[in-house]
Amino acid sequence: MGIDIKHIAKLSRLYIEDEKVEKFESDMLGIVQMVENLPDVEDEPLLDPANPMTLREDKAEGGKYSRDELTRNAPHVTAGCLVVPKTVE
């Protein structure tokens, strides 16, 4: 199986030096072979029923800090809100 590292680099907008292409190809082939050798897990349960996971209940803590304390180090605050640069036009 041949892997075109230059094409992958172009699609991902990465620059790979010509002398490193061969190393990346062998590394990528190793990764593909490792994934091909992974066992199928369709028939095996992913969780052990004898040891189920118990998740903690999330608790929101409020009133720990005031709004002034939270915005004290912000570069720009207007009417108690953080001002950030516009990202969408």
Side-chain angles (χ1 to χ4, degrees):
M1 170 198 299
I3 296 179
D4 188 0
I5 293 296
K6 285 292 196 180
H7 181 67
I8 293 171
K10 180 182 175 187
L11 292 174
S12 56
R13 297 181 184 198
L14 296 173
Y15 172 73
I16 298 178
E17 297 170 358
D18 292 334
E19 58 269 4
K20 294 185 179 181
V21 170
E22 189 173 318
K23 178 192 178 304
F24 280 108
E25 284 178 354
S26 65
D27 290 348
M28 186 66 75
L29 280 173
I31 292 170
V32 170
Q33 289 171 353
M34 179 193 67
V35 170
E36 287 176 348
N37 291 332
L38 289 174
D40 291 333
V41 293
E42 293 175 12
D43 297 332
E44 299 176 24
L46 297 176
L47 298 175
D48 183 10
N51 297 318
M53 288 195 299
T54 54
L55 303 176
R56 66 170 170 78
E57 183 179 333
D58 288 332
K59 297 176 189 173
E61 293 184 20
K64 196 170 185 179
Y65 299 101
S66 69
R67 180 179 290 233
D68 292 334
E69 289 176 309
L70 293 173
T71 58
R72 187 174 297 142
N73 291 328
H76 302 296
V77 178
T78 301
C81 298
L82 300 176
V83 180
V84 297
K86 184 176 181 179
T87 56
V88 179
E89 295 193 33

